Amino acid sequence: MPALRTRVRPALAALLPLTLCFGLAACTTPGAGAGTDDTTDWGSLGHDELVELAQEEGQVVVYAFTSRIAAIEESFEAEYPGIDVVASDISSSELITRLASEHAAGTSTADVAYVSDAPVVVTELLADGVLVPYLPARLADALPEEYREPLVANRLSTKVLMYNEEAHPDGSPVSNLWQLTEPSWAGKVVLVDPNVRGDYLDLATELSLRADEMAAAYADQFGEELVLDDGVPDAGLQFLKDLYDNEAVLVDDTDTVNAAVGVVGQDDPPVGFTSYSDRRDNEDEDWALQVASGVAPSNGIVFPAYLGATANAANPAAARLLIDYMMGDDTETGGTGFEPFYVAGDYPTRSDVTPPADALPLEELGAWQIDAETSAERRGAVADFLLTIQ
């Protein structure tokens, strides 16, 4: 297992993407090079009209929270010659910070954001006018309402407990989250520091919001009612405190989690919280990652991957064409625009796209689906609490 760090206190700067104190509501300066008149009725344009306008622009700039945007860049440019995709692969926390600061400064920014961290996206980027929604008219019947608003979501992603199936061929070695606080798992639980990455803070926040379920799971595991430590407000945060006290290994990125948990040839590998869809790299990376199903009260969270146009996009037509493309075509797998995301562990939001067959159905996964606004109300307090236990 690679060398990792434990219980590291993040620098204050790492917390800034989570607070986003930019005062954006007062900023109305348009971005440099803003494109087509913002009164354009994009929904009324036919596909050919949109393509013609996008080709006149000749470029689309996208910030994306996944490296899979490189595959989209290649296939989109093949589908629409003459439109250059300029893609940046950055974490959602950095993406949100960059978009907000560029918007506030009135400088040139991306045309499209492909972003998770729904609580911040909804309550800050959307509320402050940094992003604007675009729903392709063709998706009106294929996309359930909860994935049309406030931005379109092309899939659900995850942060769930994963284990090494080579070392545990009979299934997950964990059936209750509270087992991870026991001495047998000391130093053997790996996750990205929640005060570094927003999706992991969303996971920590959901544990707090599900405090009643966490308390019930404690009683099931230990046969007695949970007693909170002084200064710990709920059972979910008590779990996190006990997990950290059990020498949880905090790292900076999911690739480190995946390698620590998944690399083959380990006699006693750790478990970790990461993306279910990262199993797609098992063969290439020599991993044996598998999702821990049947874990009480849950194995983690599912959350939307949003697509939005920026308010001051320099290439607004190409932005909307790229969003349309990444929502997939009308085939049962979503075609080339959805191909990078058509993997086990990612869940299509379109009702007419058949989920990949080699993964647990969403209803069997057992993960909690976050509510962006509810999470946004709690996550600041959770982030502050986590600083006190590191």
Side-chain angles (χ1 to χ4, degrees):
M1 188 172 83
L4 304 172
R5 61 185 177 90
T6 60
R7 310 288 302 282
V8 174
R9 182 184 299 274
L12 179 60
L15 189 57
L16 292 179
L18 307 175
T19 55
L20 285 174
C21 297
F22 290 101
L24 297 179
C27 296
T28 57
T29 305
T36 304
D37 188 337
D38 61 9
T39 62
T40 301
D41 183 2
W42 296 106
S44 69
L45 295 180
H47 183 72
D48 291 345
E49 294 175 292
L50 186 62
V51 171
E52 183 178 355
L53 288 173
Q55 288 178 329
E56 289 176 3
E57 293 169 351
Q59 178 176 272
V60 58
V61 180
V62 55
Y63 295 166
F65 75 109
T66 172
S67 61
R68 286 180 273 179
I69 196 64
I72 292 294
E73 178 179 357
E74 181 178 354
S75 64
F76 181 87
E77 289 178 350
E79 181 75 16
Y80 300 106
I83 305 176
D84 180 33
V85 178
V86 180
S88 294
D89 164 23
I90 51 181
S91 73
S92 279
S93 297
E94 182 183 352
L95 191 162
I96 290 166
T97 302
R98 185 183 295 187
L99 283 178
S101 59
E102 289 169 350
H103 181 87
T107 59
S108 180
T109 188
D111 302 305
V112 176
Y114 186 41
V115 59
S116 61
D117 207 355
V120 178
V121 172
V122 170
T123 61
E124 300 199 30
L125 292 189
L126 271 167
D128 294 324
V130 180
L131 293 180
V132 294
Y134 174 64
L135 173 66
R138 67 187 180 88
L139 297 179
D141 294 329
L143 198 63
E145 185 175 355
E146 63 266 34
Y147 305 128
R148 293 183 226 156
E149 298 177 347
L151 292 172
V152 294
N154 76 335
R155 64 183 170 108
L156 297 178
S157 189
T158 63
K159 283 292 174 283
V160 289
L161 188 67
M162 303 280 282
Y163 69 96
N164 187 307
E165 64 180 343
E166 181 193 52
H168 301 285
D170 296 328
S172 173
V174 177
S175 60
N176 187 308
L177 285 182
W178 287 96
Q179 291 173 246
L180 302 179
T181 67
E182 296 181 315
S184 61
W185 287 101
K188 293 169 55 183
V189 181
V190 190
L191 68 156
V192 174
D193 189 331
N195 277 332
V196 172
R197 283 280 299 270
D199 43 10
Y200 283 84
L201 183 56
D202 293 339
L203 171 61
T205 301
E206 197 66 23
L207 288 165
S208 177
L209 290 169
R210 305 283 183 157
D212 289 348
E213 294 174 60
M214 290 298 295
Y218 180 95
D220 288 342
Q221 179 64 28
F222 298 116
E224 61 185 22
E225 297 301 313
L226 174 65
V227 178
L228 300 177
D229 292 347
D230 290 343
V232 179
D234 62 59
L237 296 183
Q238 184 68 59
F239 166 77
L240 289 168
K241 180 179 184 300
D242 292 352
L243 186 68
Y244 281 29
D245 286 345
N246 206 32
E247 298 302 322
V249 181
L250 303 182
V251 299
D252 290 328
D253 57 72
T254 55
D255 285 344
T256 304
V257 179
N258 294 339
V261 174
V263 69
V264 300
Q266 299 185 77
D267 293 329
D268 189 23
V271 296
F273 291 92
T274 184
S275 301
Y276 184 10
S277 61
D278 285 347
R279 287 191 71 243
R280 71 187 185 276
D281 294 327
N282 274 358
E283 184 175 349
D284 291 341
E285 299 291 345
D286 212 18
W287 293 339
L289 288 171
Q290 184 55 277
V291 67
S293 61
V295 177
S298 175
N299 55 9
I301 60 172
V302 295
F303 50 88
Y306 284 138
L307 284 161
T310 57
N312 299 317
N315 304 292
R320 285 155 178 85
L321 184 62
L322 181 61
I323 290 172
D324 182 281
Y325 181 75
M326 290 178 65
M327 289 302 299
D329 64 21
D330 296 334
T331 63
E332 65 178 13
T333 63
T336 56
F338 194 69
E339 185 175 1
F341 316 110
Y342 193 76
V343 297
D346 279 331
Y347 294 92
T349 53
R350 289 184 58 159
S351 59
D352 57 348
V353 173
T354 304
D358 54 344
L360 283 174
L362 182 59
E363 59 271 16
E364 296 179 21
L365 179 65
W368 292 315
Q369 187 158 340
I370 71 169
D371 178 82
E373 293 186 358
T374 303
S375 183
E377 293 175 0
R378 180 72 61 89
R379 58 185 266 151
V382 172
D384 291 343
F385 175 81
L386 292 175
L387 289 175
T388 71
I389 63 174
Q390 290 182 317

